[in-house]
Amino acid sequence: MWETVAQPENGNGITYGDVSVDGDHVATLTATPAEGYVLDGEALGEGWTLNEDGTATWTKQLTSKYCDVVVVPVVPVVNPAECTVEDQGSTVWETVAQPENGNGITYGDVSVDGDHVATLTATPAEGYVLDGEALGEGWTLNEDGTATWTKQLTSKDCAATPVVKPPTPGLPATGGTLPWGLAGGAAVLLLAGLTAVAAAKRRHANQ
């Protein structure tokens, strides 16, 4: 970024030409006295030179200043604590997605301490500067020009799977499907019939 020159206003018997800047960033301006006026060559200020035609020319080598590109780090994405089959009966915590480097910013690795506080540092590249007034939630600008993001992670308790005891299988049924009472009665009748048949055979044999 280069210095600029404000165009002087005409007055006090002097007309000023337009300010011109050449390829070498040298600014030039001419002052022309009105009729009846003359420029005081001995009282001219810095940069002015009195010309033979009575005008005066002002010149100045302009200087430049390099302006850093102002950037803002992204706010990291925090993934919620979600329970899975493997997590049943345990506690799970939020996780932080690692931001991708870009836009003149390099991000350090996400670290989580024993208190489950996540920390991340953003470092601007040469020619870039972090905008301390536009930092997102959780970011703090450091004295060395970097910024640090912190977040207290939260947890979620995952319910344990209840223990289910399978039922004891019953013995396989044999014979018919008659109830026990009816089946017993049928057995008694069958036994009585067999006994009667045996007795009849004995009587027949004795005759």
Side-chain angles (χ1 to χ4, degrees), residues 12-49:
N12 196 29
I14 301 175
T15 300
Y16 297 95
D18 294 333
V19 177
S20 64
V21 179
D22 63 16
D24 294 326
H25 298 280
V26 175
T28 303
L29 172 68
T30 299
T32 302
E35 186 176 354
Y37 290 82
V38 62
L39 299 179
D40 186 349
E42 296 183 358
L44 293 176
E46 183 179 359
W48 285 103
T49 300

PDB file of all heavy atoms in Angstrom, residues 12-49:
ATOM      1  N   ASN A  12      -5.646  32.015  -2.589  1.00  0.00           N
ATOM      2  CA  ASN A  12      -4.529  32.910  -2.256  1.00  0.00           C
ATOM      3  C   ASN A  12      -3.704  33.234  -3.492  1.00  0.00           C
ATOM      4  O   ASN A  12      -2.472  33.373  -3.442  1.00  0.00           O
ATOM      5  CB  ASN A  12      -3.643  32.276  -1.186  1.00  0.00           C
ATOM      6  CG  ASN A  12      -2.715  33.288  -0.522  1.00  0.00           C
ATOM      7  OD1 ASN A  12      -3.036  34.490  -0.431  1.00  0.00           O
ATOM      8  ND2 ASN A  12      -1.556  32.825  -0.072  1.00  0.00           N
ATOM      9  N   GLY A  13      -4.393  33.343  -4.639  1.00  0.00           N
ATOM     10  CA  GLY A  13      -3.728  33.731  -5.883  1.00  0.00           C
ATOM     11  C   GLY A  13      -2.952  32.603  -6.522  1.00  0.00           C
ATOM     12  O   GLY A  13      -2.117  32.852  -7.397  1.00  0.00           O
ATOM     13  N   ILE A  14      -3.200  31.363  -6.114  1.00  0.00           N
ATOM     14  CA  ILE A  14      -2.437  30.231  -6.663  1.00  0.00           C
ATOM     15  C   ILE A  14      -3.414  29.170  -7.186  1.00  0.00           C
ATOM     16  O   ILE A  14      -4.402  28.842  -6.541  1.00  0.00           O
ATOM     17  CB  ILE A  14      -1.519  29.587  -5.611  1.00  0.00           C
ATOM     18  CG1 ILE A  14      -0.509  30.617  -5.058  1.00  0.00           C
ATOM     19  CG2 ILE A  14      -0.783  28.383  -6.190  1.00  0.00           C
ATOM     20  CD1 ILE A  14       0.342  30.077  -3.930  1.00  0.00           C
ATOM     21  N   THR A  15      -3.098  28.663  -8.370  1.00  0.00           N
ATOM     22  CA  THR A  15      -3.848  27.557  -8.951  1.00  0.00           C
ATOM     23  C   THR A  15      -2.941  26.328  -8.979  1.00  0.00           C
ATOM     24  O   THR A  15      -1.796  26.402  -9.446  1.00  0.00           O
ATOM     25  CB  THR A  15      -4.301  27.885 -10.373  1.00  0.00           C
ATOM     26  OG1 THR A  15      -5.148  29.051 -10.344  1.00  0.00           O
ATOM     27  CG2 THR A  15      -5.074  26.714 -10.975  1.00  0.00           C
ATOM     28  N   TYR A  16      -3.475  25.223  -8.471  1.00  0.00           N
ATOM     29  CA  TYR A  16      -2.682  23.987  -8.392  1.00  0.00           C
ATOM     30  C   TYR A  16      -3.118  23.026  -9.494  1.00  0.00           C
ATOM     31  O   TYR A  16      -4.310  22.844  -9.758  1.00  0.00           O
ATOM     32  CB  TYR A  16      -2.855  23.306  -7.034  1.00  0.00           C
ATOM     33  CG  TYR A  16      -2.348  24.151  -5.886  1.00  0.00           C
ATOM     34  CD1 TYR A  16      -3.210  24.968  -5.174  1.00  0.00           C
ATOM     35  CD2 TYR A  16      -1.009  24.111  -5.533  1.00  0.00           C
ATOM     36  CE1 TYR A  16      -2.749  25.741  -4.112  1.00  0.00           C
ATOM     37  CE2 TYR A  16      -0.529  24.882  -4.476  1.00  0.00           C
ATOM     38  CZ  TYR A  16      -1.413  25.692  -3.769  1.00  0.00           C
ATOM     39  OH  TYR A  16      -0.941  26.472  -2.737  1.00  0.00           O
ATOM     40  N   GLY A  17      -2.145  22.411 -10.120  1.00  0.00           N
ATOM     41  CA  GLY A  17      -2.447  21.377 -11.103  1.00  0.00           C
ATOM     42  C   GLY A  17      -2.794  20.073 -10.400  1.00  0.00           C
ATOM     43  O   GLY A  17      -2.704  19.944  -9.175  1.00  0.00           O
ATOM     44  N   ASP A  18      -3.197  19.091 -11.172  1.00  0.00           N
ATOM     45  CA  ASP A  18      -3.533  17.790 -10.591  1.00  0.00           C
ATOM     46  C   ASP A  18      -2.269  17.076 -10.119  1.00  0.00           C
ATOM     47  O   ASP A  18      -1.191  17.211 -10.706  1.00  0.00           O
ATOM     48  CB  ASP A  18      -4.241  16.921 -11.622  1.00  0.00           C
ATOM     49  CG  ASP A  18      -5.598  17.480 -12.004  1.00  0.00           C
ATOM     50  OD1 ASP A  18      -6.201  18.190 -11.164  1.00  0.00           O
ATOM     51  OD2 ASP A  18      -6.052  17.204 -13.131  1.00  0.00           O
ATOM     52  N   VAL A  19      -2.433  16.318  -9.056  1.00  0.00           N
ATOM     53  CA  VAL A  19      -1.328  15.494  -8.560  1.00  0.00           C
ATOM     54  C   VAL A  19      -1.137  14.320  -9.513  1.00  0.00           C
ATOM     55  O   VAL A  19      -2.102  13.626  -9.862  1.00  0.00           O
ATOM     56  CB  VAL A  19      -1.607  14.981  -7.134  1.00  0.00           C
ATOM     57  CG1 VAL A  19      -0.482  14.069  -6.671  1.00  0.00           C
ATOM     58  CG2 VAL A  19      -1.786  16.154  -6.180  1.00  0.00           C
ATOM     59  N   SER A  20       0.094  14.095  -9.932  1.00  0.00           N
ATOM     60  CA  SER A  20       0.395  12.957 -10.794  1.00  0.00           C
ATOM     61  C   SER A  20       1.460  12.094 -10.110  1.00  0.00           C
ATOM     62  O   SER A  20       2.320  12.606  -9.388  1.00  0.00           O
ATOM     63  CB  SER A  20       0.901  13.418 -12.165  1.00  0.00           C
ATOM     64  OG  SER A  20       2.132  14.121 -12.029  1.00  0.00           O
ATOM     65  N   VAL A  21       1.341  10.785 -10.337  1.00  0.00           N
ATOM     66  CA  VAL A  21       2.301   9.839  -9.757  1.00  0.00           C
ATOM     67  C   VAL A  21       2.833   8.973 -10.899  1.00  0.00           C
ATOM     68  O   VAL A  21       2.061   8.348 -11.630  1.00  0.00           O
ATOM     69  CB  VAL A  21       1.629   8.954  -8.684  1.00  0.00           C
ATOM     70  CG1 VAL A  21       2.645   7.965  -8.107  1.00  0.00           C
ATOM     71  CG2 VAL A  21       1.021   9.811  -7.579  1.00  0.00           C
ATOM     72  N   ASP A  22       4.166   8.921 -11.052  1.00  0.00           N
ATOM     73  CA  ASP A  22       4.748   8.148 -12.144  1.00  0.00           C
ATOM     74  C   ASP A  22       4.963   6.693 -11.731  1.00  0.00           C
ATOM     75  O   ASP A  22       4.597   6.262 -10.627  1.00  0.00           O
ATOM     76  CB  ASP A  22       6.050   8.797 -12.632  1.00  0.00           C
ATOM     77  CG  ASP A  22       7.126   8.832 -11.569  1.00  0.00           C
ATOM     78  OD1 ASP A  22       7.005   8.089 -10.553  1.00  0.00           O
ATOM     79  OD2 ASP A  22       8.118   9.578 -11.731  1.00  0.00           O
ATOM     80  N   GLY A  23       5.569   5.937 -12.639  1.00  0.00           N
ATOM     81  CA  GLY A  23       5.785   4.530 -12.392  1.00  0.00           C
ATOM     82  C   GLY A  23       6.721   4.234 -11.240  1.00  0.00           C
ATOM     83  O   GLY A  23       6.710   3.117 -10.703  1.00  0.00           O
ATOM     84  N   ASP A  24       7.533   5.204 -10.882  1.00  0.00           N
ATOM     85  CA  ASP A  24       8.444   5.029  -9.747  1.00  0.00           C
ATOM     86  C   ASP A  24       7.836   5.551  -8.456  1.00  0.00           C
ATOM     87  O   ASP A  24       8.552   5.698  -7.462  1.00  0.00           O
ATOM     88  CB  ASP A  24       9.763   5.759 -10.028  1.00  0.00           C
ATOM     89  CG  ASP A  24      10.530   5.147 -11.190  1.00  0.00           C
ATOM     90  OD1 ASP A  24      10.454   3.908 -11.346  1.00  0.00           O
ATOM     91  OD2 ASP A  24      11.177   5.900 -11.940  1.00  0.00           O
ATOM     92  N   HIS A  25       6.543   5.851  -8.488  1.00  0.00           N
ATOM     93  CA  HIS A  25       5.810   6.338  -7.329  1.00  0.00           C
ATOM     94  C   HIS A  25       6.361   7.683  -6.827  1.00  0.00           C
ATOM     95  O   HIS A  25       6.440   7.926  -5.626  1.00  0.00           O
ATOM     96  CB  HIS A  25       5.825   5.305  -6.203  1.00  0.00           C
ATOM     97  CG  HIS A  25       5.164   4.016  -6.587  1.00  0.00           C
ATOM     98  ND1 HIS A  25       3.800   3.832  -6.597  1.00  0.00           N
ATOM     99  CD2 HIS A  25       5.711   2.836  -7.014  1.00  0.00           C
ATOM    100  CE1 HIS A  25       3.525   2.591  -6.993  1.00  0.00           C
ATOM    101  NE2 HIS A  25       4.659   1.980  -7.256  1.00  0.00           N
ATOM    102  N   VAL A  26       6.697   8.544  -7.804  1.00  0.00           N
ATOM    103  CA  VAL A  26       7.096   9.911  -7.480  1.00  0.00           C
ATOM    104  C   VAL A  26       5.908  10.818  -7.784  1.00  0.00           C
ATOM    105  O   VAL A  26       5.420  10.868  -8.916  1.00  0.00           O
ATOM    106  CB  VAL A  26       8.325  10.364  -8.295  1.00  0.00           C
ATOM    107  CG1 VAL A  26       8.635  11.839  -8.017  1.00  0.00           C
ATOM    108  CG2 VAL A  26       9.529   9.488  -7.958  1.00  0.00           C
ATOM    109  N   ALA A  27       5.445  11.537  -6.773  1.00  0.00           N
ATOM    110  CA  ALA A  27       4.304  12.443  -6.931  1.00  0.00           C
ATOM    111  C   ALA A  27       4.793  13.824  -7.353  1.00  0.00           C
ATOM    112  O   ALA A  27       5.821  14.314  -6.863  1.00  0.00           O
ATOM    113  CB  ALA A  27       3.524  12.535  -5.636  1.00  0.00           C
ATOM    114  N   THR A  28       4.028  14.440  -8.270  1.00  0.00           N
ATOM    115  CA  THR A  28       4.400  15.760  -8.793  1.00  0.00           C
ATOM    116  C   THR A  28       3.173  16.665  -8.798  1.00  0.00           C
ATOM    117  O   THR A  28       2.060  16.229  -9.112  1.00  0.00           O
ATOM    118  CB  THR A  28       4.960  15.662 -10.218  1.00  0.00           C
ATOM    119  OG1 THR A  28       6.079  14.773 -10.218  1.00  0.00           O
ATOM    120  CG2 THR A  28       5.407  17.027 -10.728  1.00  0.00           C
ATOM    121  N   LEU A  29       3.391  17.953  -8.464  1.00  0.00           N
ATOM    122  CA  LEU A  29       2.311  18.943  -8.396  1.00  0.00           C
ATOM    123  C   LEU A  29       2.883  20.302  -8.768  1.00  0.00           C
ATOM    124  O   LEU A  29       3.991  20.657  -8.354  1.00  0.00           O
ATOM    125  CB  LEU A  29       1.744  18.991  -6.976  1.00  0.00           C
ATOM    126  CG  LEU A  29       0.734  20.094  -6.651  1.00  0.00           C
ATOM    127  CD1 LEU A  29      -0.572  19.853  -7.405  1.00  0.00           C
ATOM    128  CD2 LEU A  29       0.489  20.141  -5.149  1.00  0.00           C
ATOM    129  N   THR A  30       2.135  21.040  -9.573  1.00  0.00           N
ATOM    130  CA  THR A  30       2.599  22.361 -10.003  1.00  0.00           C
ATOM    131  C   THR A  30       1.695  23.448  -9.448  1.00  0.00           C
ATOM    132  O   THR A  30       0.459  23.302  -9.460  1.00  0.00           O
ATOM    133  CB  THR A  30       2.637  22.453 -11.532  1.00  0.00           C
ATOM    134  OG1 THR A  30       3.541  21.476 -12.043  1.00  0.00           O
ATOM    135  CG2 THR A  30       3.095  23.834 -11.997  1.00  0.00           C
ATOM    136  N   ALA A  31       2.299  24.514  -8.969  1.00  0.00           N
ATOM    137  CA  ALA A  31       1.566  25.681  -8.462  1.00  0.00           C
ATOM    138  C   ALA A  31       1.827  26.860  -9.400  1.00  0.00           C
ATOM    139  O   ALA A  31       2.985  27.199  -9.690  1.00  0.00           O
ATOM    140  CB  ALA A  31       2.020  26.026  -7.051  1.00  0.00           C
ATOM    141  N   THR A  32       0.727  27.489  -9.880  1.00  0.00           N
ATOM    142  CA  THR A  32       0.854  28.606 -10.830  1.00  0.00           C
ATOM    143  C   THR A  32       0.221  29.857 -10.216  1.00  0.00           C
ATOM    144  O   THR A  32      -0.977  29.830  -9.853  1.00  0.00           O
ATOM    145  CB  THR A  32       0.138  28.260 -12.147  1.00  0.00           C
ATOM    146  OG1 THR A  32       0.703  27.060 -12.693  1.00  0.00           O
ATOM    147  CG2 THR A  32       0.283  29.403 -13.144  1.00  0.00           C
ATOM    148  N   PRO A  33       0.994  30.932 -10.064  1.00  0.00           N
ATOM    149  CA  PRO A  33       0.427  32.160  -9.484  1.00  0.00           C
ATOM    150  C   PRO A  33      -0.487  32.870 -10.488  1.00  0.00           C
ATOM    151  O   PRO A  33      -0.258  32.837 -11.703  1.00  0.00           O
ATOM    152  CB  PRO A  33       1.658  32.990  -9.169  1.00  0.00           C
ATOM    153  CG  PRO A  33       2.693  32.545 -10.140  1.00  0.00           C
ATOM    154  CD  PRO A  33       2.444  31.090 -10.376  1.00  0.00           C
ATOM    155  N   ALA A  34      -1.540  33.470  -9.980  1.00  0.00           N
ATOM    156  CA  ALA A  34      -2.451  34.233 -10.831  1.00  0.00           C
ATOM    157  C   ALA A  34      -1.786  35.552 -11.238  1.00  0.00           C
ATOM    158  O   ALA A  34      -0.750  35.949 -10.682  1.00  0.00           O
ATOM    159  CB  ALA A  34      -3.751  34.500 -10.093  1.00  0.00           C
ATOM    160  N   GLU A  35      -2.409  36.202 -12.185  1.00  0.00           N
ATOM    161  CA  GLU A  35      -1.854  37.489 -12.639  1.00  0.00           C
ATOM    162  C   GLU A  35      -1.847  38.486 -11.478  1.00  0.00           C
ATOM    163  O   GLU A  35      -2.824  38.614 -10.739  1.00  0.00           O
ATOM    164  CB  GLU A  35      -2.709  38.026 -13.784  1.00  0.00           C
ATOM    165  CG  GLU A  35      -2.123  39.288 -14.419  1.00  0.00           C
ATOM    166  CD  GLU A  35      -2.924  39.760 -15.608  1.00  0.00           C
ATOM    167  OE1 GLU A  35      -3.881  39.029 -15.995  1.00  0.00           O
ATOM    168  OE2 GLU A  35      -2.616  40.847 -16.126  1.00  0.00           O
ATOM    169  N   GLY A  36      -0.713  39.120 -11.303  1.00  0.00           N
ATOM    170  CA  GLY A  36      -0.564  40.069 -10.202  1.00  0.00           C
ATOM    171  C   GLY A  36       0.016  39.419  -8.953  1.00  0.00           C
ATOM    172  O   GLY A  36       0.194  40.100  -7.919  1.00  0.00           O
ATOM    173  N   TYR A  37       0.291  38.112  -9.009  1.00  0.00           N
ATOM    174  CA  TYR A  37       0.881  37.399  -7.867  1.00  0.00           C
ATOM    175  C   TYR A  37       2.219  36.808  -8.284  1.00  0.00           C
ATOM    176  O   TYR A  37       2.447  36.513  -9.465  1.00  0.00           O
ATOM    177  CB  TYR A  37      -0.039  36.271  -7.392  1.00  0.00           C
ATOM    178  CG  TYR A  37      -1.306  36.757  -6.730  1.00  0.00           C
ATOM    179  CD1 TYR A  37      -2.405  37.139  -7.503  1.00  0.00           C
ATOM    180  CD2 TYR A  37      -1.417  36.798  -5.340  1.00  0.00           C
ATOM    181  CE1 TYR A  37      -3.583  37.565  -6.905  1.00  0.00           C
ATOM    182  CE2 TYR A  37      -2.589  37.239  -4.741  1.00  0.00           C
ATOM    183  CZ  TYR A  37      -3.670  37.610  -5.520  1.00  0.00           C
ATOM    184  OH  TYR A  37      -4.822  38.042  -4.926  1.00  0.00           O
ATOM    185  N   VAL A  38       3.092  36.662  -7.329  1.00  0.00           N
ATOM    186  CA  VAL A  38       4.390  36.056  -7.582  1.00  0.00           C
ATOM    187  C   VAL A  38       4.726  35.132  -6.412  1.00  0.00           C
ATOM    188  O   VAL A  38       4.408  35.425  -5.255  1.00  0.00           O
ATOM    189  CB  VAL A  38       5.498  37.127  -7.739  1.00  0.00           C
ATOM    190  CG1 VAL A  38       5.668  37.953  -6.467  1.00  0.00           C
ATOM    191  CG2 VAL A  38       6.818  36.494  -8.156  1.00  0.00           C
ATOM    192  N   LEU A  39       5.333  34.030  -6.723  1.00  0.00           N
ATOM    193  CA  LEU A  39       5.698  33.060  -5.699  1.00  0.00           C
ATOM    194  C   LEU A  39       7.003  33.470  -5.030  1.00  0.00           C
ATOM    195  O   LEU A  39       7.954  33.925  -5.690  1.00  0.00           O
ATOM    196  CB  LEU A  39       5.859  31.661  -6.313  1.00  0.00           C
ATOM    197  CG  LEU A  39       4.591  31.076  -6.985  1.00  0.00           C
ATOM    198  CD1 LEU A  39       4.909  29.700  -7.578  1.00  0.00           C
ATOM    199  CD2 LEU A  39       3.456  30.962  -5.963  1.00  0.00           C
ATOM    200  N   ASP A  40       7.054  33.318  -3.730  1.00  0.00           N
ATOM    201  CA  ASP A  40       8.258  33.659  -2.960  1.00  0.00           C
ATOM    202  C   ASP A  40       9.182  32.455  -2.975  1.00  0.00           C
ATOM    203  O   ASP A  40       8.975  31.478  -2.234  1.00  0.00           O
ATOM    204  CB  ASP A  40       7.869  34.037  -1.536  1.00  0.00           C
ATOM    205  CG  ASP A  40       9.052  34.544  -0.727  1.00  0.00           C
ATOM    206  OD1 ASP A  40      10.201  34.402  -1.208  1.00  0.00           O
ATOM    207  OD2 ASP A  40       8.837  35.042   0.393  1.00  0.00           O
ATOM    208  N   GLY A  41      10.175  32.491  -3.820  1.00  0.00           N
ATOM    209  CA  GLY A  41      11.084  31.357  -3.972  1.00  0.00           C
ATOM    210  C   GLY A  41      11.859  31.035  -2.717  1.00  0.00           C
ATOM    211  O   GLY A  41      12.229  29.873  -2.507  1.00  0.00           O
ATOM    212  N   GLU A  42      12.115  32.041  -1.852  1.00  0.00           N
ATOM    213  CA  GLU A  42      12.898  31.800  -0.644  1.00  0.00           C
ATOM    214  C   GLU A  42      12.062  31.227   0.493  1.00  0.00           C
ATOM    215  O   GLU A  42      12.613  30.733   1.473  1.00  0.00           O
ATOM    216  CB  GLU A  42      13.550  33.103  -0.197  1.00  0.00           C
ATOM    217  CG  GLU A  42      14.566  33.649  -1.205  1.00  0.00           C
ATOM    218  CD  GLU A  42      15.245  34.908  -0.694  1.00  0.00           C
ATOM    219  OE1 GLU A  42      14.880  35.352   0.442  1.00  0.00           O
ATOM    220  OE2 GLU A  42      16.117  35.439  -1.402  1.00  0.00           O
ATOM    221  N   ALA A  43      10.725  31.288   0.356  1.00  0.00           N
ATOM    222  CA  ALA A  43       9.863  30.806   1.434  1.00  0.00           C
ATOM    223  C   ALA A  43       9.116  29.532   1.064  1.00  0.00           C
ATOM    224  O   ALA A  43       8.209  29.115   1.789  1.00  0.00           O
ATOM    225  CB  ALA A  43       8.872  31.901   1.815  1.00  0.00           C
ATOM    226  N   LEU A  44       9.528  28.945  -0.052  1.00  0.00           N
ATOM    227  CA  LEU A  44       8.856  27.715  -0.465  1.00  0.00           C
ATOM    228  C   LEU A  44       9.109  26.602   0.553  1.00  0.00           C
ATOM    229  O   LEU A  44      10.193  26.481   1.125  1.00  0.00           O
ATOM    230  CB  LEU A  44       9.348  27.259  -1.836  1.00  0.00           C
ATOM    231  CG  LEU A  44       8.987  28.173  -3.019  1.00  0.00           C
ATOM    232  CD1 LEU A  44       9.611  27.646  -4.298  1.00  0.00           C
ATOM    233  CD2 LEU A  44       7.458  28.271  -3.159  1.00  0.00           C
ATOM    234  N   GLY A  45       8.090  25.794   0.761  1.00  0.00           N
ATOM    235  CA  GLY A  45       8.226  24.699   1.721  1.00  0.00           C
ATOM    236  C   GLY A  45       8.982  23.513   1.160  1.00  0.00           C
ATOM    237  O   GLY A  45       9.431  23.506  -0.001  1.00  0.00           O
ATOM    238  N   GLU A  46       9.105  22.481   2.002  1.00  0.00           N
ATOM    239  CA  GLU A  46       9.854  21.286   1.610  1.00  0.00           C
ATOM    240  C   GLU A  46       9.227  20.630   0.389  1.00  0.00           C
ATOM    241  O   GLU A  46       8.005  20.489   0.298  1.00  0.00           O
ATOM    242  CB  GLU A  46       9.878  20.289   2.779  1.00  0.00           C
ATOM    243  CG  GLU A  46      10.685  19.032   2.506  1.00  0.00           C
ATOM    244  CD  GLU A  46      10.700  18.086   3.699  1.00  0.00           C
ATOM    245  OE1 GLU A  46      10.095  18.414   4.738  1.00  0.00           O
ATOM    246  OE2 GLU A  46      11.300  16.998   3.577  1.00  0.00           O
ATOM    247  N   GLY A  47      10.073  20.267  -0.567  1.00  0.00           N
ATOM    248  CA  GLY A  47       9.623  19.588  -1.774  1.00  0.00           C
ATOM    249  C   GLY A  47       9.338  20.517  -2.931  1.00  0.00           C
ATOM    250  O   GLY A  47       9.184  20.056  -4.062  1.00  0.00           O
ATOM    251  N   TRP A  48       9.260  21.845  -2.667  1.00  0.00           N
ATOM    252  CA  TRP A  48       8.945  22.804  -3.727  1.00  0.00           C
ATOM    253  C   TRP A  48      10.219  23.326  -4.374  1.00  0.00           C
ATOM    254  O   TRP A  48      11.229  23.557  -3.715  1.00  0.00           O
ATOM    255  CB  TRP A  48       8.154  23.983  -3.173  1.00  0.00           C
ATOM    256  CG  TRP A  48       6.702  23.664  -2.881  1.00  0.00           C
ATOM    257  CD1 TRP A  48       6.151  23.433  -1.667  1.00  0.00           C
ATOM    258  CD2 TRP A  48       5.664  23.582  -3.841  1.00  0.00           C
ATOM    259  NE1 TRP A  48       4.804  23.191  -1.784  1.00  0.00           N
ATOM    260  CE2 TRP A  48       4.474  23.281  -3.118  1.00  0.00           C
ATOM    261  CE3 TRP A  48       5.592  23.714  -5.222  1.00  0.00           C
ATOM    262  CZ2 TRP A  48       3.248  23.130  -3.743  1.00  0.00           C
ATOM    263  CZ3 TRP A  48       4.370  23.561  -5.840  1.00  0.00           C
ATOM    264  CH2 TRP A  48       3.208  23.255  -5.104  1.00  0.00           C
ATOM    265  N   THR A  49      10.134  23.544  -5.714  1.00  0.00           N
ATOM    266  CA  THR A  49      11.241  24.118  -6.480  1.00  0.00           C
ATOM    267  C   THR A  49      10.665  25.211  -7.383  1.00  0.00           C
ATOM    268  O   THR A  49       9.692  24.974  -8.109  1.00  0.00           O
ATOM    269  CB  THR A  49      11.941  23.054  -7.341  1.00  0.00           C
ATOM    270  OG1 THR A  49      12.460  22.012  -6.488  1.00  0.00           O
ATOM    271  CG2 THR A  49      13.085  23.664  -8.129  1.00  0.00           C
TER     272      THR A  49
END
